[in-house]
């Protein structure tokens, strides 16, 4: 597909809900291309603004660089003509640069830059990391601020000023003061994406801080509900938002929070509950128990009825 200019990509992503699809594995935990393609086609059919391949929900952390390239190329081939496919750049700077270059060669529309693994870094070090990826590709880059790569407002402002292809900040922290300071400094130069686990719980208050969209994991298995929820958030319909939080999102969180790592496992279990076979997660993640799957299935049935 033809490359999307970074500013055009930013506008498109900011206009709607974002899909972070799971990555399907077979019984041997190898990439299952057939089921993944089927899932992507279904995801793209509902009109989301962007599809982030091999992200956190897609277990990108468990994929090799070669597997990430295969997943991204599969996504571009299957749905790239319908929806922008954003590829991950992960790990240390050299690896992230190589993955960004590979993503551009694969036809991806943009890059989501994840934190480097296992090491703490100064703000100046993070600037060098982000800039290296921005300079390696002409694609629009979104930087994910979380974990060991939390960007301060002055850092984001400096990066935005010096790197025209930096188009977005994905917030995985939820610090109200930091986001307020960042938006005050940077304004609409960037798009802001909610990236907290189950972003729906934070969507309404973060909207006031310029966070116009978010990554919806539950879109994987209840896309109609996820889109209704997003529409209610954008309309600032507090009554509808809190009704849907009480009906589904908060009980869903009660199941997810029973064990570390369930943020991905519960999505695959949700897919299986709606008859689309999400399959297993790779270690070190663990699957839901039979009882938890049964409780999730009942919860989903209620919201889909």
């Amino acid at each position: 597909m033809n490359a999307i200019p970074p500013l055009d990509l930013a506008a498109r992503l900011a206009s709607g809900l974002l899909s972070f699809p799971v990555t399907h594995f077979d019984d041997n935990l190898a990439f299952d291309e057939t089921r993944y393609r089927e899932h992507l086609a279904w995801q793209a059919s509902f009109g989301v603004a962007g599809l982030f391949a091999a992200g956190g929900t897609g277990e990108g952390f468990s994929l090799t660089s070669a597997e990430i390239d295969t997943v991204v190329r599969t996504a571009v081939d299957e749905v790239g003509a319908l929806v922008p496919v954003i590829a991950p750049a992960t790990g240390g700077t050299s690896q992230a640069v190589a993955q960004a270059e590979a993503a551009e060669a694969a036809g991806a529309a943009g890059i989501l830059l994840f934190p480097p693994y296992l090491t703490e870094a100064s703000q100046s070090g993070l600037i060098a990391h982000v800039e290296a990826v921005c300079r390696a590709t002409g694609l629009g880059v979104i930087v994910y601020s979380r974990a060991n790569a939390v960007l301060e407002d002055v850092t984001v402002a400096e990066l935005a000023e010096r790197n025209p292809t930096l188009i977005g900040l994905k917030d995985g922290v939820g610090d109200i003061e930091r986001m307020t300071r960042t938006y005050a400094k940077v304004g609409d130069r960037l798009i802001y994406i909610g990236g907290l686990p189950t972003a729906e719980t934070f969507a309404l208050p973060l909207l006031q801080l310029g966070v116009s969209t978010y990554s919806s994991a539950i879109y994987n298995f209840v896309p109609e509900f996820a889109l209704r929820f997003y529409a209610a958030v954008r309309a600032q319909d507090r009554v509808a938002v809190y009704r849907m939080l009480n009906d589904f999102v908060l009980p869903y969180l009660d199941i997810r929070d029973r064990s570390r790592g369930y943020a991905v496992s519960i999505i695959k279990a949700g897919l299986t509950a709606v008859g689309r076979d999400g399959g297993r997660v790779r270690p070190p993640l663990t699957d839901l128990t039979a009882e938890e799957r049964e409780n999730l299935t009942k919860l989903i049935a209620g919201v889909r009825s």
Side-chain angles (χ1 to χ4, degrees):
M1 61 179 296
N2 295 327
I4 302 175
L7 291 180
D8 291 349
L9 176 64
R12 187 162 177 181
L13 295 178
S15 70
L17 189 63
L18 305 176
S19 168
F20 280 63
V22 299
T23 302
H24 290 76
F25 304 122
D26 62 21
D27 291 341
N28 296 315
L29 294 180
F31 175 51
D32 189 329
E33 181 176 332
T34 299
R35 283 166 55 223
Y36 185 62
R37 283 181 178 272
E38 292 172 353
H39 183 56
L40 294 184
W42 186 59
Q43 293 271 281
S45 70
F46 294 93
V48 287
L51 188 151
F52 288 65
T57 305
E59 297 178 75
F61 48 83
S62 77
L63 303 174
T64 66
S65 289
E67 287 176 319
I68 287 174
D69 186 56
T70 298
V71 170
V72 170
R73 288 180 179 276
T74 300
V76 170
D77 181 65
E78 184 65 32
V79 298
L82 301 174
V83 59
V85 173
I86 312 302
T90 65
T93 303
S94 295
Q95 178 175 304
V97 164
Q99 289 179 351
E101 293 171 340
E104 185 168 19
I111 302 295
L112 177 61
L113 176 57
F114 284 80
Y117 294 145
L118 295 178
T119 183
E120 303 298 329
S122 66
Q123 293 294 296
S124 61
L126 293 173
I127 287 173
H129 178 70
V130 175
E131 286 192 332
V133 174
C134 287
R135 293 170 180 172
T137 173
L139 299 179
V141 176
I142 299 161
V143 61
Y144 199 172
S145 179
R146 64 172 294 178
N148 60 335
V150 177
L151 304 179
E152 300 295 344
D153 56 315
V154 292
T155 300
V156 178
E158 183 174 343
L159 284 167
E161 181 179 359
R162 288 165 38 175
N163 298 277
T165 58
L166 182 67
I167 62 170
L169 174 72
K170 185 178 180 186
D171 173 53
V173 181
D175 185 316
I176 299 298
E177 181 177 342
R178 181 180 284 108
M179 281 301 300
T180 299
R181 288 178 176 273
T182 298
Y183 190 79
K185 284 186 179 295
V186 183
D188 293 330
R189 162 64 182 83
L190 300 177
I191 61 170
Y192 303 92
I193 299 171
L196 290 155
T198 313
E200 281 80 2
T201 55
F202 303 89
L204 190 59
L206 288 181
L207 182 67
Q208 304 300 318
L209 302 179
V211 182
S212 64
T213 186
Y214 53 86
S215 54
S216 177
I218 65 173
Y219 178 85
N220 273 276
F221 60 92
V222 283
E224 297 96 339
F225 174 87
L227 289 167
R228 288 199 307 272
F229 190 97
Y230 176 74
V233 169
R234 292 302 299 265
Q236 300 189 56
D237 185 343
R238 292 175 58 86
V239 172
V241 167
Y242 279 95
R243 183 182 68 249
M244 288 186 278
L245 283 171
N246 282 315
D247 287 348
F248 179 75
V249 179
L250 297 180
Y252 163 87
L253 291 182
D254 289 339
I255 300 172
R256 185 206 68 186
D257 291 344
R258 291 179 186 174
S259 181
R260 289 182 177 272
Y262 270 10
V264 176
S265 310
I266 196 170
I267 304 303
K268 288 193 165 181
L271 266 171
T272 300
V274 300
R276 302 197 68 88
D277 189 12
R280 298 161 55 200
V281 292
R282 276 181 172 177
L285 300 183
T286 55
D287 293 304
L288 271 64
T289 65
E291 180 184 357
E292 289 162 345
R293 286 176 177 272
E294 182 179 354
N295 291 337
L296 179 63
T297 298
K298 291 177 180 177
L299 181 61
I300 293 171
V303 81
R304 296 180 80 208
S305 59

